[in-house]
Amino acid sequence: MKTYRDFDNYLKNFPDDKGYFGEYGGMILPPELVPAFEEITQAYLEICHNARFINELRRIRKEFQGRPTPVYHCERLSSLLGKCQIYLKREDLNHTGAHKLNHCMGEGLLAKFLGKKKLIAETGAGQHGVALATAAAYFGLECDIYMGEVDIKKQYPNVVRMKMLGANVIPATHGLKTLKEAVDAAFEGYLKEYDDAIYCIGSAVGPHPFPMMVRDFQSVIGIEAKEQFKDMTGILPDIVCAAVGGGSNSIGMFEAFLSEPVDIVGVEPLGIGNGIGEHAASMKFGKKGILHGFESMLLQDENGEPLPVYSIASGLDYPSVGPEHAYLSDCGRIKYETVSDEEAIQAFFLLSRYEGIIPAIESSHALAYAIKHAQNQNSGSILVNLSGRGDKDIDFVYEKYGTGEQFLEEFTNQ
């Protein structure tokens, strides 16, 4: 088992030159796609050390995205729960309402560097799709977004936003018609036009170099948060936590804290139970397998085929997880816990009512873990990555749960 002391030179060693984090990762692709991904790899390795690229990305983050996003102390919620203090890294205040723009603007810059004309991507909750459509509009590129039919209905406000930004939203109509199927369809679309397009994967998953690229672009979250928390309190938090689906917001939050003496917790969606098709907790219930061009923990059947998954959060219902998360779990640096739909929705309403912040359902999973932790502690602090805002979820939540009075009453009666 590794501790924080083992991570001083981590970024220099992971991933290796083949894109592996230990035994997870890689570039497992049809032969015709290998040159395209090798082109992306070489271009990224060139520009990630290019001062002009770095300065342009910093300018975009400051002037267009509104970075840095703040760290916020939830005083009323913390007082309700006890003495442990909850803090939020407010990625919901990033332009477009979530953390996704952090890597989409970087991928858009990379596409311009490569002379591509189109951005292609999948989306679940729609936040990645909105962010990529935003990047395409900013850089003057075409944009195709693949989205499961189920998620199109569930996240309709984001579908409208994508279309208003000029993106072509393409329904994925096979299988469960959610995130995994959207990734399948996006890969098929990319196969047909990779000469003129770049596939901008929406999380820290997929073939090398995307887990590395997305991590690097998202690491601004943790870098900012660590400095901001120290400025506010003079110390580091006891725990840092974030929701984990594919793993982009969480790996971006965690990276800066790996070499620090803090506990790190990733929170997976337990959905409505432990059975097949009732959750999307690939770290808890999965085993090593291959999906969408990389090796990682995978919810799979006896033939290695992905199992059906479910989460109330459309951005978390993916049957695998980023390979870096799998490695960091194996070596013991990060602990992965689960939160149910009901716990996430209760957290959604508690933050809304006690702090005036309506969170994304995805982010509510991390918040639910923080709430449970705070109730059992007499001191300390926990820093949560609030990865997105809940505008996209309001219609769905109101239709299913109303204004949350039952959840608030249940909580106060505990």
Side-chain angles (χ1 to χ4, degrees), residues 64-193:
F64 183 67
Q65 292 183 230
R67 303 205 69 90
T69 58
V71 164
Y72 170 73
H73 180 203
C74 296
E75 290 192 57
R76 291 194 67 227
L77 182 59
S78 299
S79 295
L80 174 72
L81 300 171
K83 296 182 179 179
C84 180
Q85 303 302 301
I86 295 177
Y87 292 79
L88 307 176
K89 176 57 173 168
R90 296 289 306 275
E91 286 301 289
D92 59 310
L93 298 179
N94 194 32
H95 180 44
T96 73
H99 69 290
K100 295 292 188 179
L101 200 62
N102 297 330
H103 67 257
C104 286
M105 296 306 290
E107 290 171 340
L109 263 181
L110 179 63
K112 293 290 284 188
F113 178 83
L114 288 167
K116 303 297 184 181
K117 299 175 183 177
K118 179 186 283 189
L119 306 179
I120 294 175
E122 83 296 330
T123 194
Q127 288 300 136
H128 176 61
V130 168
L132 199 70
T134 299
Y138 182 93
F139 291 111
L141 300 168
E142 298 174 47
C143 186
D144 284 351
I145 303 294
Y146 292 82
M147 190 172 188
E149 270 191 337
V150 169
D151 293 333
I152 286 175
K153 294 177 183 177
K154 189 175 174 182
Q155 304 289 349
Y156 187 69
N158 272 344
V159 176
V160 173
R161 293 170 75 192
M162 285 182 267
K163 291 180 177 180
M164 284 184 173
L165 290 161
N168 181 26
V169 181
I170 304 168
T173 59
H174 66 291
L176 294 177
K177 305 175 185 178
T178 57
L179 182 55
K180 184 262 178 187
E181 289 74 28
V183 178
D184 293 340
F187 261 105
E188 290 173 11
Y190 182 53
L191 263 171
K192 298 173 184 175
E193 47 185 331

Side-chain angles (χ1 to χ4, degrees), residues 283-326:
M283 297 292 284
K284 182 176 178 67
F285 297 108
K287 58 184 179 180
K288 187 181 176 186
I290 298 173
L291 179 68
H292 296 144
F294 70 105
E295 290 185 87
S296 188
M297 297 300 289
L298 174 65
L299 294 166
Q300 56 186 298
D301 63 20
E302 62 275 8
N303 298 315
E305 292 298 314
L307 289 170
V309 293
Y310 160 79
S311 170
I312 194 171
S314 296
L316 301 181
D317 59 357
Y318 187 64
S320 188
V321 66
E324 191 164 7
H325 285 286

